[in-house]
Amino acid sequence: MVKNPCFYGVDMPIKEELFANIHEHERAMGEVIGADSLAFLSTEGLLEAVDVDLAETSSRCIACFSGAYPTKLYLK
C-alpha cells in the first residue's frame, strides 16, 4: 500500500492525507470502500509480480511503499 508521498515530481497527497495512513488496518480500509475483503501485496511480492529482479531494486525508487528514499530529501 502507498504510505509515503513521492517527492520526485509526482503530484500526490502529503503523508497525512494518504488513504493508507488515515485508515490503519486493511479491515477499516475495506469497510470505507465497501469491500468484502482487502489485501495488499508485500513490496517484494509487487516487484516479483511485475517481473523486477529483486537484486536490481537499488536502481528503482519504491519509496512510496517502503519509505526508503534513494536520495537525501531537502524539504521545507
Side-chain angles (χ1 to χ4, degrees):
M1 70 183 85
V2 175
K3 295 190 87 168
N4 303 285
C6 179
F7 295 109
Y8 300 109
V10 177
D11 185 18
M12 63 188 304
I14 61 172
K15 186 171 187 160
E16 294 78 19
E17 296 173 337
L18 291 170
F19 187 74
N21 289 325
I22 295 171
H23 306 285
E24 186 174 335
H25 301 288
E26 292 173 9
R27 183 178 182 144
M29 290 181 215
E31 289 175 5
V32 170
I33 64 173
D36 293 334
S37 64
L38 181 64
F40 293 92
L41 290 172
S42 65
T43 301
E44 294 79 14
L46 170 68
L47 294 171
E48 186 177 320
V50 295
D51 200 25
V52 170
D53 182 356
L54 295 178
E56 295 296 321
T57 57
S58 63
S59 66
R60 291 170 170 67
C61 181
I62 55 171
C64 58
F65 303 112
S66 69
Y69 293 90
T71 61
K72 186 174 181 177
L73 298 174
Y74 298 95
L75 303 174
K76 291 181 181 181

